[in-house]
Amino acid sequence: MARALLAAEARRLGGAARLAEEDAAGGDPALLGVPEGEARRVAALLERLFGPAVAPGLTEIRREPDGPDLVFRAPRPDPEPQRRALAGLDGRIAALPLSRVLRRETLLRLRPGEPPALAGLRLGVETEALAAALGPDAAEDADLLGHAEERLALRLVSAVADPAERRALLGGAESAAPLFLALPPDAAREAAARPGGSGLGGGPPGGIVLMLPLAAIAERAGLPAAGPLAIALDGLDAETLGLIAPDAGVLAAADRLALRWSPRLAEDRAAAAALRRLDPARLLLLGCDGTEALDWGAAQGIERFGGPWVGRMLAAARRLACRHAAACVLADCAARASATDAAGRAGCADLRLLAATPLPPGGDPPA
């Protein structure tokens, strides 16, 4: 996929720009004869697609008579430090309480003229919480952090399949809406290959949607065969919408597509053109941080939303129904609702109401 993207950039830039299928120094594709600013822009796009652990980067500038050649090469770190770090990491991962690194997010269905409805719950490992729990030695190494996330994601699959553990992680919340389970690709494949299909036969009443990161499309195996489970692809944004054909097979194979909100979605022409070719019924808009995101999504026909603004809407609705609202503030209520352990919910005087997430009657959350 990196080679195809570099070839497309070489055609777009024209002139002296060209793709070398194999750079003589390392055997990786190289984009040659391009300005340094353009090279760095392409490197940033590749990192968004593949993740910082494997993204090609600007590693060499060779001075040639007709100008600089900028070579992109997949990094090859020294494996020995990683082996030493891994030796103790698995034990630390096994001892880490799963609930300490998970976060819960409520998704709302918003339709014009109708009251809000619950669209689902999203549950997954939060990278920042995981990095803090493992300490700086692992947090500063993207490969080790990715390994830890894979192992914890498999523990999450087992926890979700057990009704008691699942209820504990969700604070007692169970609903007829689906549970979106955010998993790295390898963990999703292993879960799908377990006996009984997905290994999630004891899932919640609303069913399970496996939510995979956009990096899944970079793997030759593509999306996992999830059997009876639905698949959602997460991480589409303005930049990647301009790079991936809307009719690409990997997008067609996913039941849902999760867009990540940024103002660029509303401004980028290539993103707008790509969105026009996607069925809005398949889309979720995540990361909504204000009314601009909700208004833009509604204009595209999107009905399912998540993000900090949605969390504040729900917190405002809970506070209207809570007899103890004077003892906390909106931000505390929103943070407690996202926690998956007792420590994160500490301070709430009505845990049943916290888990119930009453839906807002409408309007904006207070400042």
Side-chain angles (χ1 to χ4, degrees), residues 232-244:
L233 196 61
D234 189 13
L236 287 167
D237 57 15
E239 290 80 6
T240 53
L241 279 171
L243 294 173
I244 304 171

Side-chain angles (χ1 to χ4, degrees), residues 167-186:
R167 282 194 295 270
L169 291 176
L170 295 177
E174 291 273 24
S175 75
L179 176 61
F180 290 80
L181 203 59
L183 298 176
D186 287 346

Side-chain angles (χ1 to χ4, degrees), residues 122-248:
R122 182 181 179 277
L123 191 62
V125 177
E126 185 183 65
T127 303
E128 293 80 3
L130 177 57
L134 292 178
D137 58 332
E140 294 173 4
D141 189 312
D143 288 334
L144 297 182
L145 204 59
H147 170 77
E149 185 176 356
E150 290 280 0
R151 304 319 303 167
L152 287 162
L154 288 172
R155 287 175 55 191
L156 173 58
V157 170
S158 298
V160 167
D162 180 270
E165 287 192 61
R166 182 176 67 247
R167 282 194 295 270
L169 291 176
L170 295 177
E174 291 273 24
S175 75
L179 176 61
F180 290 80
L181 203 59
L183 298 176
D186 287 346
R189 288 190 181 91
E190 186 167 333
R194 289 182 177 186
S198 68
L200 291 167
I208 293 284
V209 179
L210 296 185
M211 197 168 212
L212 307 183
L214 186 59
I217 69 171
E219 302 191 2
R220 292 183 181 180
L223 298 178
L229 304 181
I231 291 285
L233 196 61
D234 189 13
L236 287 167
D237 57 15
E239 290 80 6
T240 53
L241 279 171
L243 294 173
I244 304 171
D247 55 353

